[in-house]
Amino acid sequence: MKTSPIQHLLAAALIALASALAVRAEEKKVTIPAGTSLMVKLDKAVNSSDKPGTKFSGVLQGDLGANGAVKTGSAVIGEVTEAKKAKRVRGKAEVTFALTQVNINGQLVAITTQPVEDIAASSTKKTAKGAAKGAAIGAIANDDSGEGAKKGAAIGAGASALKKGESAGAAAGEVVEFKLATPLTVTVK
């Protein structure tokens, strides 16, 4: 029996379709729900002196999703969304940052996480602590009239006011917990 060129073409098309279906059968989609924690070790510090839009990177510290849809060690990229430095006498340093991308099988995939907000101790508290330390030293150094304590408090408060408030954020090498704000769908092979 002789086969026609059309039959050859039809047989080749059926073989190609069968192999494509076999490959598709091996791939499946996994959805990682919103609220899932991502533990990330930061490569670079994120702090209140960073400008909004500053990028940072890190490494995922645990698998995500069924059968490790996103593997431990996957690179992540994030961005500072808000930052405010503390003033000398009052105010608090603040920084807000979130993840924006994760590397899955060599491709950067967009993700949305809930923002992480860190607020440093108040500069006002720092000034008050400085005044209290100065008052204690002044009281010890001077007589019982209370003048030494008053002078010490003024000096302590003044010295504390010269220093800027503490910075907010996370250090390089620190592990920070992020949570997915929206579900992440990943194709697993």
Side-chain angles (χ1 to χ4, degrees), residues 95-117:
V95 64
T96 305
F97 52 103
L99 297 179
T100 57
Q101 297 177 313
V102 61
N103 187 326
I104 301 173
N105 299 322
Q107 290 192 343
L108 287 176
V109 175
I111 61 171
T112 304
T113 63
Q114 296 170 0
V116 171
E117 181 180 54

Side-chain angles (χ1 to χ4, degrees), residues 1-4 7-8:
M1 180 164 161
K2 196 173 182 186
T3 57
S4 71
Q7 288 174 326
H8 283 288

